[in-house]
Amino acid sequence: LDDMAMSISMLNALKDFHIWDNIEHLHVEEHALMDTYTCQLAVNAVLPKCHRLRRLLVGLSIVWPNEGSEPASFEHLQFVRLYCEPKHLRRLRAPVLTSMQLCEWPRPNEINSSVFTSVDCSGFPALKKLTLRSNDPRWVYRSKLTQLVSLSIDTPVLRAAEGGSWGGIPSKEIFLPDVLLLVEEAVFETFSGELAFITALESVPNARKVTIVPGISLSPTFGQELIPRLFAPEPLTLCPKAEYIQIGRYTLAIETPKDIIEDLVQELINIRQQRGAPLKSFVIHWGRPHLKREYVE
């Protein structure tokens, strides 16, 4: 066998078998009847044995790596999905890993401005794509991940306050400029303040494909501040190289009246065309009823 999908209880039952060094693709899912401690003992015992892994998917609530995890090296690992505290990434080494999906778990409900731990990501020198679900994304901009070309950040609980502050921390202290200069594809999801989105977009000045997904606590005027910033001032300062822009998605569409937004969108398209930075696609998802509108083909 080189491809296995199993529950954590099955993995625990097989942990002493001599099969793990043959596995290239492993998918481990949670089991409602197993407590967290037993789950961690099982993954800590098995996963470091999987030296040939190329693809690893760890399910919800199976926290790995964790406090009890020994350092582990995966010479062939190319894709991984993890649920863990980012600080424990230092326990892993995967020199050819190119894509990581990371859900911070357990997840803090707010940013604590007095507590911050930088993350050692030196074990992932080839990482190009990071999909992060976390309420404190500060570490991404402080962990020497300058090689990233694709970045997605979803803050599922945290909401930016008015004025762009985030748990009392200004957005500009979260999304640092001049760090992620190679990012070509960016997704920023469930922020609620327009200023927070603007600051995040400023941190990826070379992005060509941008997706903005506001949260459900969204203002009914969303877009009136953000969209004009995409075509003013001159020269362009926000996403100057963007070719594809999307606002909202099917499950999180915006509620701003179309007649307010459509004039701004048309102005955006015309001005960027005039300035030699034309858009190939601009898509907005509206809700109630859902409507997807593409303005540029």
Side-chain angles (χ1 to χ4, degrees), residues 192-219:
S192 64
E194 286 193 70
L195 183 56
F197 278 108
I198 290 170
T199 307
L201 292 174
E202 287 175 339
S203 73
V204 287
N206 296 312
R208 297 186 179 276
K209 185 175 182 180
V210 173
T211 302
I212 302 155
V213 184
I216 57 176
S217 58
L218 179 65
S219 164

Side-chain angles (χ1 to χ4, degrees), residues 155 157-167 169 171 174-175 190-197 217:
T155 58
V157 176
L158 191 64
R159 298 291 182 258
E162 291 300 322
S165 105
W166 216 313
I169 304 173
S171 295
I174 296 175
F175 305 103
T190 60
F191 308 172
S192 64
E194 286 193 70
L195 183 56
F197 278 108
S217 58

Side-chain angles (χ1 to χ4, degrees), residues 55-58 79-84 97 99-104 127 129-133:
R55 182 179 178 87
L56 172 63
L57 290 89
V58 178
F79 173 87
V80 67
R81 184 186 73 193
L82 300 174
Y83 288 79
C84 71
L97 182 74
S99 182
M100 176 188 293
Q101 294 179 4
L102 176 63
C103 181
E104 182 178 10
L127 187 64
K129 181 176 183 178
L130 175 63
T131 302
L132 175 67
R133 188 171 173 84

Side-chain angles (χ1 to χ4, degrees), residues 242-264:
E243 298 176 344
Y244 304 89
I245 298 177
Q246 176 176 317
I247 297 179
R249 56 179 168 80
Y250 185 80
T251 54
L252 280 174
I254 69 170
E255 303 293 340
T256 312
K258 291 192 288 296
D259 57 344
I260 294 177
I261 291 294
E262 287 190 318
D263 288 343
L264 289 174

Side-chain angles (χ1 to χ4, degrees), residues 53-267:
L53 275 181
R54 297 182 182 275
R55 182 179 178 87
L56 172 63
L57 290 89
V58 178
L60 177 65
S61 301
I62 302 175
V63 181
W64 185 85
N66 52 66
E67 289 285 357
S69 300
E70 295 293 330
S73 182
F74 302 92
E75 298 294 329
H76 309 288
L77 190 62
Q78 298 172 8
F79 173 87
V80 67
R81 184 186 73 193
L82 300 174
Y83 288 79
C84 71
E85 292 183 72
K87 66 182 181 180
H88 295 310
L89 293 176
R90 71 182 187 275
R91 303 172 187 269
L92 304 182
R93 178 179 176 274
V96 299
L97 182 74
T98 58
S99 182
M100 176 188 293
Q101 294 179 4
L102 176 63
C103 181
E104 182 178 10
W105 200 270
R107 186 184 303 131
N109 289 328
E110 60 183 17
I111 286 182
N112 187 335
S113 59
S114 63
V115 178
F116 175 70
T117 303
S118 60
V119 176
D120 181 1
C121 293
S122 59
F124 317 114
L127 187 64
K128 299 295 184 184
K129 181 176 183 178
L130 175 63
T131 302
L132 175 67
R133 188 171 173 84
S134 170
N135 285 334
D136 189 350
R138 285 179 292 173
W139 65 271
V140 175
Y141 290 82
R142 294 162 173 82
S143 300
K144 299 180 180 179
L145 292 171
T146 55
Q147 76 277 15
L148 288 179
V149 298
S150 178
L151 173 66
S152 176
I153 297 178
D154 176 10
T155 58
V157 176
L158 191 64
R159 298 291 182 258
E162 291 300 322
S165 105
W166 216 313
I169 304 173
S171 295
K172 288 187 179 294
E173 294 182 16
I174 296 175
F175 305 103
L176 301 181
D178 303 321
V179 176
L180 303 178
L181 299 180
L182 298 183
V183 170
E184 296 182 355
E185 181 175 358
V187 178
F188 297 112
E189 186 165 347
T190 60
F191 308 172
S192 64
E194 286 193 70
L195 183 56
F197 278 108
I198 290 170
T199 307
L201 292 174
E202 287 175 339
S203 73
V204 287
N206 296 312
R208 297 186 179 276
K209 185 175 182 180
V210 173
T211 302
I212 302 155
V213 184
I216 57 176
S217 58
L218 179 65
S219 164
T221 62
F222 185 88
Q224 289 183 282
E225 184 177 2
L226 172 63
I227 293 176
R229 286 293 305 275
L230 292 168
F231 61 78
E234 186 178 5
L236 296 172
T237 58
L238 192 66
C239 302
K241 298 183 179 181
E243 298 176 344
Y244 304 89
I245 298 177
Q246 176 176 317
I247 297 179
R249 56 179 168 80
Y250 185 80
T251 54
L252 280 174
I254 69 170
E255 303 293 340
T256 312
K258 291 192 288 296
D259 57 344
I260 294 177
I261 291 294
E262 287 190 318
D263 288 343
L264 289 174
V265 171
Q266 196 56 56
E267 189 174 3

